[in-house]
Amino acid sequence: MSNGMLKIAIQKSGRLYEDSVKLLKDCGIGVRNGGNKLKIEAENFPMEVFFLRDDDIPQYVEDGVADIGIVGENVLYESEKRVSLIEKLGFGKCRLSLAVPRNSAIQSASDLNRCKIATSYPNLVKNFLKKNNIEAEIHVISGSVEIAPGIGLSDAIADLVSSGSTLMTNGLREMEVILHSEAVLIKNKNLSAGKLEFVDKLLFRIKAVMKARGTKYVLLNAPNNRLQDIIGLLPGMKSPTVMPLAEPGWSSVHSVLNENEFWDIIEKLKDYGAQGILVIPIEKMVV
Ligand code: PRT
Ligand code: ZN
């Protein structure tokens, strides 16, 4: 039954599906699931892809039905399954937060003693309460947690938040973050040496893709008399590439920039007289 292929479990549909498939695709691995199948063979990589509900993924990976999986940290830690976290993947970001009705007297987690908290994450909430010496009652509901206070089911909720608009439209105020979460790659703890080799190969590609996602390639023309100032702003992989332009007194400068410092640096480059600034996405980055 078991063959040499690496078996990966990803979400069948939902918030993590598209980004999971995109990540594999950017790693050169084709995942086509036209027929809404449970399992397909990937293209260009010895891999089988299982499409599952996210809640089932930690269990499948613990049991070795799947070798690896992509799942939110919230689901992973709530499941309390014994698998290894290999890599954070930078998408599906959210937080599990405590929230109360806007006008509630409850101001902080410590005010939750003897209160009722509705959540779909009883294990995470229980551990949080224990760690903070809070005694509250947990009421488990599987969906629409945000309506619980409004219908008198609970005093507070613990639910996933990303933009915060669900809390806002339900008249709730975010009080405290229990867990920051993003999609992660997990693996079974007893993989064979052969499987681990494939995991390493995949991980190498994932890291190259993720590194590239946070960076841009920048080309610009610099007046030679400001070249040192401009180079000083640009880190580059080793150091920026500088080439003379056909026009005397000018050089072409190429470099790699982090997305988050990008706008600041572009403004300063302009101040230093840089012209013709081109910014290009990087597809893969192997350092
Ligand atoms: O069918 P299946 O069981 O696989 O899917 P699911 O319905 O359980 O999960 P799904 O697809 O909704 O989410 C999958 C994963 O995405 C979650 O486990 C998180 O790791 C991650 N994620 C990221 C989120 C959110 N952001 C998110 N905003 N999961 C849920 N939400 C919900 C939240 O529950 C709340 O209802 O969105 C609402 C809040 O969003 P804002 O933007 O209004 O704050
Ligand atoms: Zn789910």
Side-chain angles (χ1 to χ4, degrees), residues 1-16:
M1 185 189 108
S2 164
N3 52 30
M5 281 198 268
L6 190 65
K7 292 172 286 182
I8 186 170
I10 66 172
Q11 195 187 20
K12 183 176 168 60
S13 66
R15 288 168 199 264
L16 302 183

Side-chain angles (χ1 to χ4, degrees), residues 257-270:
L257 280 188
N258 272 332
E259 187 111 65
N260 46 20
E261 54 188 9
F262 170 78
W263 286 111
D264 281 346
I265 291 186
I266 294 290
E267 278 167 22
K268 288 184 191 137
L269 288 171
K270 281 190 62 112

Side-chain angles (χ1 to χ4, degrees), residues 11 14-15 53-55 72 74-75 92 94 160 162-166:
Q11 195 187 20
R15 288 168 199 264
R53 286 203 54 193
D54 64 349
D55 316 72
N74 53 310
V75 170
C94 58
L160 298 180
S162 50
S163 69
S165 73
T166 301

Side-chain angles (χ1 to χ4, degrees), residues 50 53 57 60 67 77 118 126 162 222 235 239 261 277 279:
F50 289 67
R53 286 203 54 193
I57 291 175
Y60 273 68
D67 301 313
Y77 298 135
K126 187 181 66 197
S162 50
S239 74
E261 54 188 9
I277 305 173
V279 181

Side-chain angles (χ1 to χ4, degrees), residues 139-201:
H139 192 98
V140 185
I141 41 180
S142 60
S144 303
V145 174
E146 66 277 2
I147 65 168
I151 59 174
L153 198 63
S154 71
D155 308 291
I157 65 165
D159 199 13
L160 298 180
V161 182
S162 50
S163 69
S165 73
T166 301
L167 292 185
M168 185 121 77
T169 50
N170 286 280
L172 298 170
R173 151 164 64 85
E174 188 173 359
M175 202 168 60
E176 196 155 329
V177 177
I178 294 177
L179 175 80
H180 287 279
S181 176
E182 65 187 270
V184 291
L185 187 69
I186 56 172
K187 76 169 164 63
N188 175 276
K189 283 184 175 285
N190 306 303
L191 292 183
S192 67
K195 290 276 172 83
L196 284 174
E197 231 170 85
F198 283 134
V199 173
D200 280 348
K201 215 168 162 173

Side-chain angles (χ1 to χ4, degrees), residues 215-219 241 254-257 278-282:
T215 50
K216 300 281 180 214
Y217 194 76
V218 180
L219 301 93
T241 307
H254 299 199
S255 187
V256 171
L257 280 188
L278 295 183
V279 181
I280 300 168
I282 297 173

Side-chain angles (χ1 to χ4, degrees), residues 14 17 21 27 53 75 86 89 108 183 200 213 226 268:
Y17 170 77
V21 170
C27 291
R53 286 203 54 193
V75 170
I86 320 178
L89 299 175
S108 69
D200 280 348
R213 282 181 182 175
R226 303 305 300 272
K268 288 184 191 137

